[in-house]
Amino acid sequence: MTTRILPAVGEADAARSVTTLLSQLPDAEPAVPVGDSTQLIDTLARLAGESLDELPEVVLVHERIGPVPALELIREVSLRFPAVGVVLITADASPTLFSAAMDSGARGLVTLPLGYEELVNRVQSAAQWSVGVRRHLGAGGDVFTGPGGTVVTVSGAKGGVGTTVAAVQLALAAQASGRTVALVDMDLQSGDIASYLDVQFRRSIVDLAAISDISPRVLADAVFSHSTGIALLLAPGEGERGEEVSDRAARQIVSALRSRYEILIIDCGAQMSGANAAAIEMADTALLVTTPDVVAVRGAKRIVRMWDRLQIRKAEETTTVVNRFNRNTEIQPALIQKITGTRLAATSVPANFKELQSAVDAGRMHELDQKSVVKQALWALAGELGLVKLPAAQPGREKYRGDRGSIGRPRRRGEIAGRGRTD
């Protein structure tokens, strides 16, 4: 049996050393090393998207890989790609590290400097385990499989700019088009998703924070199934408990959810913590919601700069959404884009709180009127971000099951409904 091995080694000298030794292993097929954690996850996701059989049997993770620490990376790989055997390469052979590596999901540990015999034994053991898992993987549904879904974080330039409304409507749009969707409230001190969707549920994200191995059953116990079909993972009712959710716990929770749902929307609020910083770093799309006023735009610029300093997210990798847009405002979207240095969503959300007020006060945001221009704009944004699954026939025109809100551009004044022309 040929063993496919994917090394994840950031240092050039270490990568050459590992590759040279791997080439001497019997029946080994080493791949070109990947240089960081992001490249490793993307490579595995691409291979898993083609077929489970395309995944390597063994992944070697060097202790100095980055930007995600090695043990957290091993945990994410183990959760998202359970048929891959992961081996840690490290200079620390202490029992403490060995125990931590096993807890994270590693199948073995190889000490530096690398030795041929030890490497052969660890790789063969991990490969045999991987083959056994793949043989039985189809027998049960209690495992996470596949490359994982799309993660979108929604953050606010400051409080009150409409972050939660945007997150809720994006989730509703994705679910209405046939996607499986999870909505997470990671505004840990003051999350309001439960209030916006009229939910009373005793479990929250804190219940997952202390669990080292989140199985599908454990996840299902913590998630609330809303009447709309969206899975909700809520913020704690006691804000001070939000501190229990560490960045490491957040990574594990996000990895578990994205392995189970096609779309994962995370409301990060306007306050930065280690947990939502980790979520933003892991996101496929990071949205920053602002309003076209001086205070909010300054807040957006401040957040973008902070993310860049902390190496969470580069400005050009962030998408700014302008809420409460009015053509008569002095600060236009193009100026906001120039000030923040971010990408600008083509869809701006118009100012019309009056149509939102009754739905917000009743906690029935999911019942917002289909004629709402705010809803139409946010559903159009969902389409722009690729969160919706358009029907094969007449893309963009069919109504979606469970809701008659449109996903597309808002209709221009004077346009005849359903004909696509103006008088």
Side-chain angles (χ1 to χ4, degrees):
M1 183 193 75
T2 300
T3 301
R4 294 164 296 179
I5 308 168
L6 177 58
V9 186
E11 298 176 351
D13 292 341
R16 282 193 295 269
S17 175
V18 170
T19 302
T20 301
L21 199 54
L22 288 176
S23 65
Q24 301 174 21
L25 267 58
D27 300 322
E29 186 180 299
V32 177
V34 295
D36 57 48
S37 58
T38 302
Q39 190 178 355
L40 173 62
I41 295 298
D42 289 346
T43 300
L44 293 176
R46 175 176 54 80
L47 294 173
E50 296 173 4
S51 169
L52 177 65
D53 294 332
E54 295 298 320
L55 285 169
E57 284 75 24
V58 180
V59 168
L60 298 177
V61 175
H62 193 275
E63 62 181 353
R64 295 183 182 176
I65 196 73
V68 176
L71 292 181
E72 293 185 16
L73 178 60
I74 290 172
R75 187 183 299 277
E76 183 171 357
V77 172
S78 300
L79 279 170
R80 294 182 59 183
F81 313 99
V84 175
V86 188
V87 176
L88 174 64
I89 301 175
T90 177
D92 181 7
S94 67
T96 301
L97 179 64
F98 181 83
S99 177
M102 297 304 104
D103 288 343
S104 296
R107 303 307 307 173
L109 185 148
V110 180
T111 56
L112 292 170
L114 292 176
Y116 177 81
E117 291 297 333
E118 185 184 20
L119 186 61
V120 167
N121 292 335
R122 296 294 178 269
V123 167
Q124 288 181 348
S125 176
Q128 290 172 1
W129 176 86
S130 175
V131 171
V133 170
R134 295 177 196 214
R135 185 179 300 121
H136 300 287
L137 193 58
D142 199 27
V143 291
F144 294 125
T145 59
T150 300
V151 179
V152 177
T153 57
V154 187
S155 305
K158 67 179 188 67
V161 296
T163 307
T164 301
V165 171
V168 168
Q169 289 299 327
L170 290 176
L172 289 169
Q175 192 281 330
S177 74
R179 303 279 193 184
T180 57
V181 182
L183 176 60
V184 181
D185 197 342
M186 212 171 277
D187 186 359
L188 298 173
Q189 279 76 42
S190 53
D192 286 324
I193 285 180
S195 298
Y196 275 58
L197 294 176
D198 191 25
V199 171
Q200 292 183 349
F201 189 56
R202 63 187 181 87
R203 297 195 181 276
S204 73
I205 191 172
V206 173
D207 293 295
L208 297 177
I211 299 175
S212 59
D213 185 14
I214 302 177
S215 68
R217 285 196 182 95
V218 170
L219 188 63
D221 287 341
V223 168
F224 177 83
S225 297
H226 194 260
S227 60
T228 58
I230 296 174
L232 302 177
L233 185 57
L234 304 172
E238 304 81 15
E240 66 275 12
R241 295 199 65 195
E243 297 180 0
E244 298 176 30
V245 185
S246 65
D247 55 343
R248 179 177 179 178
R251 290 183 188 280
Q252 184 180 357
I253 292 166
V254 171
S255 296
L257 286 166
R258 81 186 304 174
S259 299
R260 197 169 181 82
Y261 298 93
E262 293 179 87
I263 304 294
L264 176 58
I265 308 293
I266 305 175
D267 180 0
C268 292
Q271 299 295 321
M272 184 57 55
S273 67
N276 54 32
I280 293 166
E281 185 180 0
M282 296 176 69
D284 298 291
T285 301
L287 298 181
L288 180 59
V289 181
T290 186
T291 49
D293 58 83
V294 173
V295 175
V297 173
R298 283 178 177 171
K301 183 178 180 180
R302 184 167 56 247
I303 286 176
V304 169
R305 287 183 172 180
M306 179 174 63
W307 288 356
D308 188 52
R309 287 194 306 271
L310 299 177
Q311 298 183 351
I312 296 171
R313 200 93 184 177
K314 294 181 180 178
E316 57 270 22
E317 297 173 347
T318 302
T319 301
T320 298
V321 178
V322 181
N323 189 23
R324 299 174 197 155
F325 171 68
N326 187 314
R327 295 187 181 278
N328 298 322
T329 57
E330 185 174 347
I331 302 178
Q332 292 292 301
L335 179 58
I336 296 174
Q337 180 181 26
K338 182 177 180 180
I339 292 172
T340 60
T342 60
R343 292 196 296 256
L344 186 69
T347 305
S348 296
V349 184
N352 198 336
F353 182 74
K354 184 177 180 180
E355 67 180 26
L356 295 176
Q357 189 166 5
S358 60
V360 171
D361 291 345
R364 310 290 291 179
M365 183 56 64
H366 51 292
E367 296 179 357
L368 186 61
D369 192 280
Q370 59 171 334
K371 297 179 181 180
S372 163
V373 294
V374 174
K375 176 176 179 176
Q376 289 178 5
L378 288 170
W379 283 44
L381 176 63
E384 179 185 336
L385 298 175
L387 303 182
V388 300
K389 183 165 58 177
L390 293 176
Q394 295 186 342
R397 286 192 176 185
E398 277 192 23
K399 294 181 175 68
Y400 295 88
R401 58 180 177 83
D403 201 297
R404 287 163 44 193
S406 62
I407 299 178
R409 62 177 177 79
R411 190 175 293 124
R412 295 190 297 269
R413 181 180 298 177
E415 188 173 345
I416 298 178
R419 299 186 182 179
R421 64 182 180 84
T422 55
D423 292 330

